[in-house]
Amino acid sequence: MTFDSTVLLIENTVSLQVTYASVLRQNGYQVTTAGTAAAGLASFRETAPQAVIIDLALPDRDGIDLMTELLALSPATPIIVITANGSTSLAVEAMRAGAHDFLVKPFDEQRLLNAVGNAVAAGSLAGMTETADRAPPSPGDFVGSSAAMAQVYARIRSVARSMAPVFITGESGTGKELCAEAIHRLSSRAPKPFVTLSCGAIPSDLLESELFGHLKGSFPGAITERTGAAAAADGGTLFLDEICELDTAVQAKLLKFVQTSTIQPVGSNRPRKVNVRIICATNHDPAQAIRMGQLRQDLYYRLHVVPLHMPPLRDRGADVIEIAERALARMSEEEGRRFRGLSDEAAALFRFYAWPGNVRELLNVIRQVVVMHDGREVTPAMLPPELTEAPVKPNLTGAPRPATSKVEIGAILGRPLAEAERMIIEATIAMHGGSITRAARVLEVAPSTLYRKIEAWQAREGRAQGDRANGGEEG
């Protein structure tokens, strides 16, 4: 078997260099070796390898520093780092700096071949993607073009080619599973299975079996043999949702699996090697979960190699309108309705609502509207009370602007008209418990008028705050 793929091996221990190179050559790879960082850098420039293996303990230079320079020269080249047992913190640091995978000594032949095979495949995929499309669209099934999501898309593309575990955080309904699926689809593992295990939806006494499988008769009720999620994902990606809900006893076995890539089904005495990438997610604060004893700290450090945070919908600006109208078009077609978009007033309500349930809540609202109403536009009358009567969101400084339910005539006299208008509007909103819709009825204006005014006030306050901060720095 000939892969015609060149691998650069930078390892200063001669005996290990010979061993690793021999294994790779026997399996069809062309191997160039170097014993120092300087020699490795020169070989990298000359051979343009498909993958690089770097031992972090080099005699003439820090391994991570060398890796950073290599990635600056060729960002698409996957790099595998080697570290000694007990120095996994260095491996984690390397992964965060851009390494594709890491090997902890001692490792077996198959682990080396798996790492190199995945790295070469990922490098080829990255090269084809870059050539075919210099500005790829949003990955997966995401909708939205806000700055917050642009950062998420870039992060997904960056980590997809890696083998490192990814730890996704974010509120419920922000799209953590969509994120995991997007990473899998853009990775070299895309042809292999993507398997999801919801740790919070399975009884604790069945979790081990669901994760690692069981043999027939291994416990009461085990009437057939079962393949667990880890084995089902072999070669692909295992997504562990709600990781903080995983029973602590099972967490210990998961930790062993992460460390050894070995599973042992319930009732079996024969361990089995599997090759999976782990992505996990939680809507909890991991640090708090560790303090409360819900999440093992050692497991957290093994899984929290590449962090990725999904922003809440309220921080995604106009994405809420884009998502709503895309969902409206799809659901209208499904239900045989005529909707074509949101009215200005409805769009204003969507834009300013805080969406505690995030995208999941938004889609639920759209579904309710489409099922219960019909028309060309979605109007405020079609929306549930939690939207039409919701208090306005906080301003850009993060705290609600103080307002009273009464405005004394003396406080208004002598003030500019725009300032007096604002005082009256804010007092009316406060009088009606923060409801923009009710205040608009009293003031005899459209709710969208009030929302536009509030947005303009917040924008001015944000600019003023920025100007003050810049002025303070310059001073």
Side-chain angles (χ1 to χ4, degrees):
M1 177 171 56
T2 302
F3 294 130
D4 292 329
S5 296
T6 302
V7 177
L8 172 59
L9 170 63
I10 308 174
E11 166 64 68
N12 69 300
T13 303
V14 177
S15 60
L16 293 178
Q17 183 187 110
V18 171
T19 300
Y20 301 156
S22 175
V23 169
L24 292 171
R25 286 176 180 137
Q26 288 173 14
N27 285 272
Y29 294 99
Q30 299 178 25
V31 183
T32 303
T33 60
T36 64
L41 179 58
S43 294
F44 184 84
R45 294 179 185 275
E46 292 172 4
T47 63
Q50 277 71 57
V52 180
I53 306 173
I54 300 177
D55 191 323
L56 294 181
L58 296 174
D60 59 333
R61 188 175 177 186
D62 177 72
I64 294 179
D65 183 44
L66 172 62
M67 181 193 74
T68 302
E69 182 170 353
L70 297 184
L71 288 174
L73 292 171
S74 177
T77 301
I79 297 178
I80 302 165
V81 298
I82 300 175
T83 185
N85 189 20
S87 301
T88 53
S89 59
L90 280 178
V92 171
E93 182 182 348
M95 297 299 291
R96 289 175 175 167
H100 178 270
D101 198 358
F102 67 90
L103 300 170
V104 179
K105 297 178 182 177
F107 49 85
D108 59 27
E109 177 180 321
Q110 193 57 50
R111 177 73 179 94
L112 173 63
L113 292 173
N114 285 342
V116 173
N118 287 324
V120 170
S124 300
L125 182 65
M128 288 188 294
T129 301
E130 184 177 354
T131 302
D133 195 351
R134 296 289 178 178
S138 63
D141 296 325
F142 284 109
V143 176
S145 52
S146 63
M149 289 307 293
Q151 293 179 2
V152 171
Y153 302 155
R155 188 74 164 165
I156 288 173
R157 294 190 183 97
S158 174
V159 306
R161 66 187 183 90
S162 170
M163 275 287 294
V166 180
F167 200 105
I168 306 171
T169 56
E171 297 176 9
S172 179
T174 50
K176 296 186 289 296
E177 185 168 355
L178 279 182
C179 179
E181 289 177 348
I183 293 171
H184 173 74
R185 290 180 192 176
L186 292 177
S187 75
S188 58
R189 294 173 173 265
K192 298 295 185 177
F194 175 84
V195 178
T196 298
L197 183 67
S198 181
C199 302
I202 301 170
S204 58
D205 57 338
L206 295 179
L207 267 172
E208 183 179 355
S209 170
E210 291 291 328
L211 183 55
F212 301 120
H214 65 253
L215 299 184
K216 180 180 179 180
S218 56
F219 56 84
I223 57 176
T224 61
E225 183 174 327
R226 180 178 180 81
T227 300
D234 196 8
T237 302
L238 175 61
F239 176 53
L240 300 175
D241 198 10
E242 303 177 51
I243 186 67
C244 291
E245 305 295 330
L246 189 64
D247 184 82
T248 52
V250 181
Q251 287 184 31
K253 297 181 179 180
L254 176 60
L255 175 62
K256 182 179 178 182
F257 167 54
V258 174
Q259 293 172 327
T260 65
S261 297
T262 300
I263 64 170
Q264 190 164 331
V266 178
S268 172
N269 56 8
R270 299 179 62 183
R272 171 190 169 187
K273 283 275 188 179
V274 294
N275 175 19
V276 302
R277 182 189 194 175
I278 295 179
I279 302 178
C280 58
T282 181
N283 57 9
H284 296 288
D285 176 2
Q288 184 178 2
I290 291 171
R291 288 193 297 269
M292 297 177 64
Q294 297 171 336
L295 180 64
R296 289 177 61 113
Q297 189 171 41
D298 48 5
L299 177 62
Y300 170 74
Y301 287 137
R302 279 287 183 173
L303 296 177
H304 195 265
V305 176
V306 179
L308 200 159
H309 181 70
M310 296 299 299
L313 188 55
R314 60 184 171 274
D315 291 344
R316 292 177 54 181
D319 281 0
V320 63
I321 306 301
E322 187 177 349
I323 297 170
E325 295 194 331
R326 182 82 63 89
L328 182 66
R330 173 173 56 82
M331 294 179 188
S332 293
E333 184 177 358
E334 292 172 355
E335 300 288 342
R337 304 302 197 195
R338 298 173 296 152
F339 286 111
R340 293 294 179 267
L342 307 176
S343 69
D344 290 344
E345 292 80 3
L349 289 169
F350 274 68
R351 180 69 177 79
F352 281 90
Y353 181 57
W355 299 107
N358 293 292
V359 178
R360 188 177 293 123
E361 181 184 7
L362 172 60
L363 297 179
N364 185 55
V365 167
I366 296 295
R367 176 67 72 182
Q368 287 182 37
V369 169
V370 172
V371 168
M372 299 177 66
H373 304 279
D374 196 7
R376 303 292 293 181
E377 289 185 328
V378 175
T379 65
M382 300 176 182
L383 300 176
E386 56 264 28
L387 260 73
T388 57
E389 299 179 7
V392 67
K393 284 194 299 187
N395 62 25
L396 298 181
T397 64
R401 182 179 178 85
T404 61
S405 60
K406 293 183 179 180
V407 178
E408 298 293 338
I409 189 66
I412 296 177
L413 295 176
R415 292 182 180 272
L417 180 60
E419 189 174 336
E421 178 190 53
R422 179 171 182 173
M423 293 176 67
I424 293 173
I425 290 174
E426 289 184 334
T428 307
I429 292 172
M431 182 185 299
H432 291 86
S435 171
I436 301 294
T437 305
R438 294 176 184 174
R441 291 195 197 107
V442 171
L443 295 171
E444 297 183 355
V445 296
S448 59
T449 300
L450 297 188
Y451 280 113
R452 281 194 293 269
K453 289 182 179 293
I454 293 168
E455 189 170 35
W457 298 336
Q458 292 176 349
R460 281 198 295 271
E461 287 177 357
R463 288 194 296 270
Q465 187 180 31
D467 292 342
R468 286 194 295 273
N470 292 335
E473 290 173 3
E474 293 170 0

